[in-house]
Amino acid sequence: MVIAVYNTMPYLTACLDSLVGQSIGHRRMEIVAVDDGSTDGSGAELDRYATRHPGLFKVRHQANSGGPAHPTNRGTAEATGRYVLYLGADDWLGAEALERMVEAADRWESEVLVPKQVGENGRLVPQGIFERTAREVTFTDSALAWALADTKLFRRDLLQRHGLRRLEDLPVHSDQPFTLEALLRAERVSVLADYDYYHLVLRRDRSNVTHRAGPLDRLRGVRAIQEVVERLTGPGPVRDAIRSRHFGWEVPQLLQADFLHLDQALQRQLCAGIAGLLDDFCTPELLTRLPVGDRLRLALARRGELAALRGVIEYELANGTPPPVRRRGREYAGYPLFRSRRPRLPDELFALGGAGPDGGWPAGLRRRVMRSLPPGARKVVRRRLGWLVRRRPPARAGVPAAAVAGAAADAGAAGARVGAPAGARADEG
């Protein structure tokens, strides 16, 4: 067990209580906790638990490193068990979590095991990957691409064989490239969905580090993930499944309401970064499968058309997605920029296609997705997608329905308004 700790009181106490009460017993446990220069008494709380439970805790104190990557790497280096579970210092485990996880991983010979996660204090966690318990899952038969946080059980030998470490220059999202590489290299990835194993806590003041991520930091995290994808996969369904998540959700989320509140210099930086991502990693085929609104905003960001981009975001906030217009037998999204003189954009950017009443979704899928959302998140989706949600929802490129539902739910959790960024660990994701 590895815990990176920085100013997590009073949540840390509940986290530690959940560990000392594990049914697996202290003899089979090792807790490595690294205090990253806390100033709120978290370090003293770790020392108190170590004193009360000798032999169970290894507590290390260090100067603040600026992010969770360094203390997590240090904790991993000091771990000696067969398995490593990463636990957020404000989260907690169900009483039988470790015993059940280790038993299943041993029985299935799993190298990574994904335990069911639930949210606390209003934190909404995508549930697509937890539809069923499975001895083995892949990126192409499950919502695994939406489960890239490190809140999993890893066989330590896997981490050692491949020298897997967090990128310490990433202030946020350092867990996701690490987790993705582990998932891609693992011989077997398993899912346990039969028990509430891991409880993800949203702090009352919403001060979780991943919920405070700035847009450029989020973009750096996406690039680091795409570099892992580029290095470890070839063209094909696995690569498409992973990239569809980021270019079909994470990147377009940066170009919504919050974008309007950035100063112009930061807007320009963000658009330049998005253009670089699109040029380096996003195929034209993936872009054509995105909803028109996302496609349009990404195209304007790529061109550096800041005024037009702001106009589209403002239009969507006020009106939702526009109704279709028909030209020569084809339907297009009737944005004000459609066939405008400046900027001049190709008609294909606005094309809706002829996918029938469910817009390319499998029959009944639209209704199931909408019903699976909490009321607040449903409202967010309706406002964002407008008439498309009611009549013709666009197919997300390769995104499983339950994953869409979970991501939309995270958008609701992050502010229940259009443009609120999904939780940075929406994988939790």
Side-chain angles (χ1 to χ4, degrees), residues 113-119 125-134 137 142-144 146-147 151-152 190-198 200 402 427-429:
L113 186 141
V114 186
K116 183 180 179 182
Q117 301 165 15
V118 295
V125 180
Q127 294 295 303
I129 190 65
F130 306 122
E131 287 184 332
R132 61 186 175 88
T133 290
V137 296
S142 73
L144 192 58
W146 294 77
T151 49
K152 299 169 177 58
S190 307
V191 173
L192 280 178
D194 60 342
Y195 177 76
D196 292 346
Y197 291 86
Y198 193 112
L200 284 152
D427 41 26
E428 181 63 350

Side-chain angles (χ1 to χ4, degrees), residues 85-88 91 113-115 117 149-154 175 179 198 200 425 428:
L85 175 71
Y86 296 100
L87 180 63
D91 301 330
L113 186 141
V114 186
Q117 301 165 15
D150 65 357
T151 49
K152 299 169 177 58
L153 189 74
F154 298 85
D175 62 325
T179 303
Y198 193 112
L200 284 152
R425 296 178 72 170
E428 181 63 350

